[in-house]
Amino acid sequence: GAAGILCYVGAYVFITYDDYDHFFEDVYTLIPAVVIIAVGALLFIIGLIGCCATIRESRCGLATFVIILLLVFVTEVVVVVLGYVYRAKVENEVDRSIQKVYKTYNGTYPDAASRAIDYVQRQLHCCGIHNYSDWENTDWFKETKNQSVPLSCCRETASSCNGSLAHPSDLYAEGCEALVVKKLQEIMMHVIWAALAFAAIQLLGMLCACIVLCRRSRDPAYELLITGGTYA
């Protein structure tokens, strides 16, 4: 179950990143998500090893289980650190990329950048980089010469909105940059909290396995045959 949840969190990061990848060029930000998916897959194998070792009461198996759990615990700590590092870089990355994306907007559906902008403006209820007036500085706005912004800037409650700047109350007032940064930082926080939660679970698992190992070592019923064959 823990493995499945970790893989889900990693997959969620990938899917969401795909929606915002035009605003975030640093693919290294996906490293925490890649690591957490790998940890999830490894955790499933570790769980099988732990179950088999416990059922068979194998000291060697339990010792291997503890060592692997320790390695996974260290990996999850690394994920937390990377998550915080890349979370701090989000704002600079978005600020660097969003200007170029808006500049290449041409309003056609097949264009990937245009689709990305329209998607973000509809999903996050925003318009422009800082506000809707940013559209006046774009090449698309100057070429169309109709004094209007994309329809994706229209509020859901404005039924007759055509994007005209003459009716600013029909448009989303907040810019997209701050909301994209917030969204991406929230995604990274999902990774951080998932890694922290399961690091705590790994710690508990190691503690339980160590207790079982200690009991096995003190219990003569589980000792191996010594030379001379006096114990069974």
Side-chain angles (χ1 to χ4, degrees), residues 38-232:
V39 168
L42 182 60
L43 200 59
F44 178 75
I45 300 172
I46 293 170
L48 293 178
I49 294 173
C51 288
C52 293
T54 304
I55 292 171
R56 299 182 64 180
E57 298 176 344
S58 168
R59 290 180 61 188
C60 180
L62 284 172
T64 303
F65 179 61
V66 171
I67 292 171
I68 297 176
L69 276 183
L70 180 60
L71 293 175
V72 172
F73 176 79
V74 172
T75 304
E76 287 175 338
V77 171
V78 171
V79 169
V80 172
V81 173
L82 288 175
Y84 272 108
V85 169
Y86 288 120
R87 185 176 180 273
K89 293 177 61 178
V90 165
E91 189 169 357
N92 291 333
E93 283 291 326
V94 173
D95 184 59
R96 187 179 66 184
S97 304
I98 198 168
Q99 301 279 353
K100 292 188 291 185
V101 179
Y102 270 82
K103 188 175 181 180
T104 58
Y105 184 86
N106 61 22
T108 59
Y109 181 76
D111 181 66
S114 298
R115 290 202 314 272
I117 290 173
D118 287 332
Y119 173 83
V120 166
Q121 291 189 152
R122 289 193 180 98
Q123 291 296 314
L124 301 183
H125 298 168
C126 58
C127 183
I129 299 173
H130 303 103
N131 54 57
Y132 58 80
S133 65
D134 292 326
W135 280 104
E136 297 180 64
N137 300 319
T138 62
D139 295 336
W140 173 81
F141 184 89
K142 295 171 183 176
E143 290 171 3
T144 55
K145 299 178 181 179
N146 58 7
Q147 297 297 306
S148 64
V149 297
L151 295 179
S152 56
C153 281
C154 292
R155 295 178 183 272
E156 293 179 345
T157 54
S159 57
S160 59
C161 176
N162 59 5
S164 174
L165 291 177
H167 302 92
S169 60
D170 291 343
L171 309 175
Y172 294 122
E174 193 168 359
C176 293
E177 182 177 3
L179 294 178
V180 169
V181 169
K182 181 181 177 181
K183 181 68 174 179
L184 291 173
Q185 287 181 336
E186 285 177 354
I187 294 169
M188 200 56 63
M189 282 305 298
H190 290 326
V191 174
I192 292 170
W193 282 115
L196 281 174
F198 287 102
I201 293 174
Q202 306 306 334
L203 206 56
L204 181 62
M206 284 189 289
L207 179 62
C208 292
C210 287
I211 291 172
V212 173
L213 274 173
C214 290
R215 286 180 176 176
R216 292 289 181 269
S217 62
R218 290 197 302 264
D219 193 343
Y222 292 93
E223 290 182 2
L224 296 175
L225 290 174
I226 62 172
T227 55
T230 55
Y231 293 101

